[in-house]
Amino acid sequence: MPDSSTTNFTNPSTFILLGIPGLETAHVWISIPFCTMYVIAILGNFILLFVVKREPSLHGPMYYFLCMLAVTDLVLCTCTIPKMLSIFWFNSREIDFNACLTQIYFIPCFFGMQSGIFMAMAFDRYVAICDPLRHSTTLTNPVVAKIGLAVALRGGVLTLPSPLIARQWPYCRTNIIPHTCCDHMAVVNLACADIRISSYYGLIVGNLVITVDVFFIAVSYTKILRAIFRLPTKDTRLKTFGTCGSHLCAILAFYIPALFSMFTYRFGHHVALHFHVLFANVCLLVPPMLNPIIFGVRTKQIRDRLLRLLTQKGT
């Protein structure tokens, strides 16, 4: 029976995911922290959605955006981590070609949605601090819904060409992917064709989305800081800035690993492959795990409501 890695084919029915190349013997041990982070991410985001749903006082723009973020976090980590754990625990390395294309679509799509939601949350904070009297009339429920729809459409439409183009390539070299999931470039690099259109499209769209979102977030916070520094007392300034604390922490937890991973992947040609793969998984797991913790701990309304629910259940 011929080895799948040497068989000539143009439309493979399955790909083989290696996991973390070079660290196969440590897969079981590596799975422990990743599984723990995944469980925390799932529980934390579901609890956050439950608390916001149950508490009428949390039915406002910031918390609606927070719920959108929780949903994207759940989808982003669930579309990759269960398969990764099945590789680590059961050596289940095969993935269907169409399932692989689905991952190629979902990962950058929901990653872009997360970035767009952070930009929308920055706009919410800008209106709340710089123009508080118009906050309730500017960010009405229909406006919040339209912003959420625009963020979702942007992520979905801009990402759609990636799997469609990847599907057209002939894969006649190997079907072995040195990764834990179907990363876009890891898959198209297996094609025996000129893949520059895939490479350039992924690079341009990814950089454009991140650059635009970071630019508008920076503009929003520049105006927010100017408004805060004009406040009369130090206590007022600290209290007002504290309303942005959880959002800023979540932004840093999202963008710093993402930008580091992007630059090391594009320019760190001498960085070990297992480091690239490990860090890519960290980028997929750490923000979804940290977001509910950051917002739950730093947002008094969520923290108080959760404590009341726990107290009632305990009683």
Side-chain angles (χ1 to χ4, degrees), residues 166-183:
R167 189 182 188 89
Q168 305 306 314
W169 298 131
Y171 296 91
C172 54
R173 293 174 182 166
T174 180
N175 65 340
I176 295 177
I177 303 172
H179 212 294
T180 58
C181 64
C182 290
D183 176 77

Side-chain angles (χ1 to χ4, degrees), residues 1-4 6-7 94:
M1 183 176 179
D3 186 352
S4 62
T6 60
T7 302
E94 287 193 358

Side-chain angles (χ1 to χ4, degrees), residues 111-112 114-119 154 209-211 213-214 217 250-261 287:
F111 198 83
Q114 278 187 321
S115 182
I117 292 167
F118 280 125
M119 180 177 64
R154 185 191 69 164
V209 168
I210 296 295
T211 301
D213 292 351
V214 169
I217 289 171
I251 285 175
L252 294 175
F254 176 77
Y255 284 109
I256 290 177
L259 291 172
F260 182 78
S261 178

Side-chain angles (χ1 to χ4, degrees), residues 231-302:
L231 294 174
T233 65
K234 181 180 179 181
D235 288 343
T236 307
R237 289 194 291 268
L238 289 174
K239 184 177 180 181
T240 305
F241 185 74
T243 62
C244 303
S246 55
H247 184 228
L248 284 172
C249 290
I251 285 175
L252 294 175
F254 176 77
Y255 284 109
I256 290 177
L259 291 172
F260 182 78
S261 178
M262 183 184 299
F263 285 122
T264 54
Y265 191 84
R266 297 294 176 181
F267 305 110
H269 301 298
H270 300 294
V271 178
L273 181 58
H274 66 263
F275 177 82
H276 282 300
V277 177
L278 269 173
F279 202 78
N281 283 291
V282 168
C283 291
L284 290 173
L285 257 179
V286 170
M289 177 192 71
L290 289 181
N291 287 338
I293 296 174
I294 291 171
F295 286 102
V297 170
R298 293 189 60 88
T299 307
K300 185 177 184 298
Q301 294 90 329
I302 294 176

